[in-house]
Amino acid sequence: MFDNDYFTEAELSCRCCGKNNFKDKTLRRLVRVRELYGNPMIVNSGYRCPAQNTRLNATMTHATGQAVDVSVALSGAHKLLNIALEEGFTGIGVKQKGSIKKRFIHLDDLDSIPGKCIRPTVWSY
Ligand SMILES: [Zn+2]
Ligand SMILES: [Zn+2]
């Protein structure tokens, strides 16, 4: 499933334990975004095991294997957002203030599950 030209299994694995349950469907969507984006995309978080997710005190989106955080800012962030929306990412989290190096965009393609996660949606950090 990690047979693609852009993203390695390692960069999409849990940072604490190396586990990787990243969903194939989401990876294929990410590869389409990368092809349209045309520049390297730096992944700072992909799959997270539930324990790591709890340590980070985050919502469970990354534990589903359908979420990724990409380090990006300014015009790159604008371009990535456009493409991600076109390609059907349904959860968009935007961190675009403070240090340029710490800016990122969260993308996930979770489905709408009543009472669990409302999609499509967008939020800021
Ligand atoms: Zn882990
Ligand atoms: Zn995220």
Side-chain angles (χ1 to χ4, degrees):
M1 90 178 244
F2 287 97
D3 182 24
N4 72 85
D5 293 338
Y6 306 111
F7 301 100
T8 65
E9 181 165 4
E11 69 185 322
L12 292 171
S13 295
C14 183
R15 297 293 191 255
C16 84
C17 62
K19 275 193 207 123
N20 195 319
N21 291 329
F22 207 82
K23 293 272 189 358
D24 199 37
K25 180 191 75 162
T26 307
L27 179 60
R28 286 198 303 269
R29 196 186 304 278
L30 196 60
V31 166
R32 288 200 300 277
V33 168
R34 170 62 183 80
E35 282 171 347
L36 292 166
Y37 186 67
N39 283 300
M41 282 166 53
I42 300 156
V43 173
N44 70 43
S45 186
Y47 175 73
R48 288 178 202 152
C49 71
Q52 171 73 346
N53 207 73
T54 300
R55 273 192 290 278
L56 294 172
N57 196 25
T59 56
M60 293 305 278
T61 54
H62 286 262
T64 64
Q66 288 179 245
V68 70
D69 294 344
V70 180
S71 293
V72 66
L74 306 170
S75 63
H78 183 275
K79 185 175 181 181
L80 182 62
L81 262 182
N82 262 313
I83 297 166
L85 287 166
E86 270 173 29
E87 289 302 316
F89 277 101
T90 54
I92 312 271
V94 178
K95 162 78 173 166
Q96 292 295 317
K97 62 183 179 187
S99 165
I100 296 275
K101 286 182 179 169
K102 290 184 177 169
R103 296 185 190 190
F104 68 92
I105 291 179
H106 163 108
L107 305 173
D108 71 57
D109 63 354
L110 290 163
D111 298 319
S112 187
I113 303 166
K116 279 196 164 179
C117 74
I118 310 296
R119 294 292 187 275
T121 190
V122 59
W123 65 88
S124 57
Y125 295 98

